[in-house]
Amino acid sequence: MAERGRGWARAVRGLLLDVSGVLYDSGAGGGVPIAGSVEAVRRIKASGLKLQLCTNETQATRQSFVRKLRALGFDISVAQVTAPAPAACRLLRERGLRPHLLVHHDLVPEFAEIDKTNPNCVVLGDAAENFTYANLNEAFRLLIGMEKPVLLSLGKGRYYKETDGLKLDVGAYMKALEYACDIQAEVVGKPSKRFFESALAELGVPAEQAIMIGDDIVNDVGGAQQCGMRALQVRTGKYRPSDENHPEVKPDAYVNNLAEAVDIILQEL
């Protein structure tokens, strides 16, 4: 059960939910919902609480991602998903950047309207099987040859969970390019404060009236707390018991799963 003392559940108007590890575990065939999560989302929506998914998903466009969630039973619209690729496109336009993309092939359509000729930056996403030596080396050569190299990373997660086990995430490859090029990447996605602020704006609720629920102690919980939100860690997805001894980040509460969090929050409404 969740820890005693439920002050964290009071005066809530909206919820930000991580997706992978909270709603479902990704994997072959689209993955599988985590027990109770489909019903938990239905209860959130029926309660009148505002709901926004805040995800670092970069293996699919938002449209195809939502189709997958709906196939798993989740009643979610594209407008309810805050994801890194659209945020990166806004940033690229604002700064006149032309990206070389090292991303999953299913994500490429998100950048269809972005000028990619003569690249002056690299955009890195969770490219999965596209993380070959040749592709990483091409990104390295482009960056090392730039007078002012710009590396935009769509997240900085270390790993995530699929149905067949843990998988390396984009952060591991981001660190490799940072080290090789002696640069620091700009993160577009969690735990970026700007990204959480965008999610809150789309949620339409101030930080002090929102709760973030995620399975990543640093990117979900720590990032949300730095924006003034309360944040819960679920004991599903990539959660590891060692997370509860993290030296810097302490969630407002631990819950066994999303369904338990929703039970407690709805009791306080």
Side-chain angles (χ1 to χ4, degrees):
M1 290 296 291
E3 282 73 7
R4 293 178 182 175
R6 296 177 173 178
W8 58 263
R10 297 186 184 126
V12 178
R13 290 179 51 217
L15 300 179
L16 291 179
L17 305 183
D18 180 33
V19 181
S20 178
V22 175
L23 299 188
Y24 78 109
D25 285 325
S26 58
V32 294
I34 292 169
S37 60
V38 171
E39 176 66 8
V41 169
R42 188 197 66 76
R43 293 179 67 204
I44 293 167
K45 297 185 80 168
S47 73
L49 287 171
K50 293 190 175 184
L51 172 66
Q52 190 76 13
L53 305 187
C54 186
T55 178
N56 272 2
E57 168 64 44
T58 58
Q59 287 195 8
T61 64
R62 281 190 303 169
Q63 288 78 5
S64 60
F65 183 53
V66 166
R67 280 196 298 272
K68 179 171 76 171
L69 289 176
R70 294 182 73 87
L72 291 173
F74 295 100
D75 181 16
I76 294 295
S77 68
V78 172
Q80 289 176 301
V81 178
T82 302
C89 287
R90 286 193 297 271
L91 189 152
L92 291 167
R93 289 191 186 97
E94 287 169 8
R95 292 168 55 180
L97 293 171
R98 302 179 305 278
H100 168 77
L101 300 176
L102 179 45
V103 300
H104 196 281
H105 57 82
D106 288 341
L107 190 71
V108 172
E110 289 275 19
F111 297 88
E113 297 181 8
I114 298 294
D115 181 6
K116 295 177 281 290
T117 59
N118 189 24
N120 57 3
C121 73
V122 169
V123 171
L124 187 69
D126 181 9
E129 285 75 17
N130 285 345
F131 277 135
T132 63
Y133 175 81
N135 288 343
L136 280 164
N137 200 53
E138 183 181 10
F140 159 72
R141 285 178 170 177
L142 282 166
L143 288 166
I144 205 76
M146 293 176 187
E147 185 177 346
K148 295 182 179 179
V150 176
L151 173 61
L152 302 180
S153 185
L154 306 181
K156 61 181 290 188
R158 293 179 296 164
Y159 56 86
Y160 56 94
K161 183 184 178 186
E162 289 198 342
T163 51
D164 63 349
L166 298 177
K167 302 290 180 78
L168 278 176
D169 204 351
V170 64
Y173 302 95
M174 179 194 85
K175 287 293 183 183
L177 289 173
E178 283 185 331
Y179 178 67
C181 301
D182 194 22
I183 59 174
Q184 185 167 351
E186 299 177 44
V187 177
V188 183
K190 297 177 293 187
S192 160
K193 186 174 182 181
R194 178 175 176 174
F195 188 69
F196 274 111
E197 288 170 348
S198 294
L200 283 168
E202 292 173 359
L203 184 68
V205 169
E208 62 272 13
Q209 295 179 341
I211 291 179
M212 174 73 197
I213 302 175
D215 67 332
D216 189 310
I217 186 71
V218 173
N219 292 327
D220 294 332
V221 174
Q225 288 177 332
Q226 287 180 16
C227 285
M229 276 184 274
R230 288 161 278 176
L232 312 183
Q233 186 177 18
V234 290
R235 295 186 175 106
T236 55
K238 70 168 68 172
Y239 164 83
R240 314 277 280 177
S242 59
D243 291 345
E244 301 196 26
N245 299 313
H246 195 280
E248 296 172 9
V249 182
K250 305 295 179 190
D252 290 85
Y254 293 93
V255 289
N256 287 325
N257 48 45
L258 176 63
E260 183 179 285
V262 171
D263 279 344
I264 296 169
I265 291 166
L266 296 187
Q267 286 170 19
E268 295 289 338
L269 288 182

